[in-house]
Amino acid sequence: MTEQQAIIIFVREPVWGKVKTRLAAAIGEPGALKVYKLLLEHTRQLVKDAAAAVFVYYADEVVENDIWEGGIFIKQQQRGSDLGKRMKHAFSDVLSFGYQKAVIIGSDCYELTKNIIEQAFLQLDEYDTVIGPAADGGYYLLGMKKIVPAIFENIAWSTDTVKDETVKILRGNNYSFSLLKQLTDIDEEKDLPQAIKDQL
């Protein structure tokens, strides 16, 4: 990877009652908050040494003193009324800064690895977009070299059809795309890997 590449991470501040609400219903608020903090730290470890600029986009206000050190990570505020608009704004920002490739990830995927992120950037040498499909029908990673506006509009976000709708739109507009391996986002108790259960 080179510095012409950027990683965008969407995060929420780890606040009791505001993160992992579906998980909290099963394992309680303390456990859900701990899981989210473990996922944030896992994501941080994945990207902190990447040969790419790393932008951390906060769902609420930007937090200065947290695990995302200001000297390493570029902090930004999410903008937009739904997930699609927020992602579109983030991609537009980063690509307008002069980066040639950008990938966006959340902080919910414990199975995500540095190698998969590197693979995503390599796929963008050949394809317009790259998608990391999640087992729940969404995606854990989306990458592109230029904005494809249609994939951020008229999508039923947070449903099991997000990835399929995105692929349908890309095909319909003649954009090339590559699919990475399918991974699991942690949203419910059944998604918890043993490595995280052992730390609860």
Side-chain angles (χ1 to χ4, degrees), residues 145-181:
K145 292 177 287 193
K146 59 183 178 180
I147 292 290
V148 183
I151 64 172
F152 300 113
E153 301 159 3
N154 303 312
I155 298 279
W157 301 108
S158 300
T159 69
D160 60 5
T161 62
V162 170
K163 188 268 290 181
D164 288 344
E165 287 181 59
T166 303
V167 166
K168 183 178 179 181
I169 290 168
L170 288 169
R171 285 185 172 138
N173 288 276
N174 294 315
Y175 286 102
S176 63
F177 64 91
S178 172
L179 294 176
L180 302 169
K181 67 186 292 187

Side-chain angles (χ1 to χ4, degrees), residues 97-161:
F97 296 153
Y99 295 97
Q100 295 172 358
K101 303 175 188 175
V103 301
I104 193 167
I105 60 175
S107 54
D108 293 331
C109 190
Y110 196 71
E111 296 175 345
L112 185 59
T113 64
K114 294 178 182 179
N115 185 59
I116 292 171
I117 295 173
E118 290 172 1
Q119 184 182 349
F121 279 123
L122 288 172
Q123 291 295 312
L124 288 173
D125 287 334
E126 299 180 46
Y127 299 93
D128 296 317
T129 51
V130 58
I131 299 170
D136 63 4
Y139 48 74
Y140 61 84
L141 180 151
L142 177 68
M144 59 186 62
K145 292 177 287 193
K146 59 183 178 180
I147 292 290
V148 183
I151 64 172
F152 300 113
E153 301 159 3
N154 303 312
I155 298 279
W157 301 108
S158 300
T159 69
D160 60 5
T161 62

Side-chain angles (χ1 to χ4, degrees), residues 14 21 25 34 60-62 66 70 78 109 111 160 165 190:
T21 51
K34 184 165 186 181
D60 301 305
E61 68 274 0
V62 172
D66 60 5
Q78 293 179 31
C109 190
E111 296 175 345
D160 60 5
E165 287 181 59
K190 65 179 175 57

Side-chain angles (χ1 to χ4, degrees), residues 21-37:
T21 51
R22 278 187 285 169
L23 189 60
I27 69 172
E29 293 289 359
L33 183 58
K34 184 165 186 181
V35 167
Y36 189 63
K37 287 181 176 178

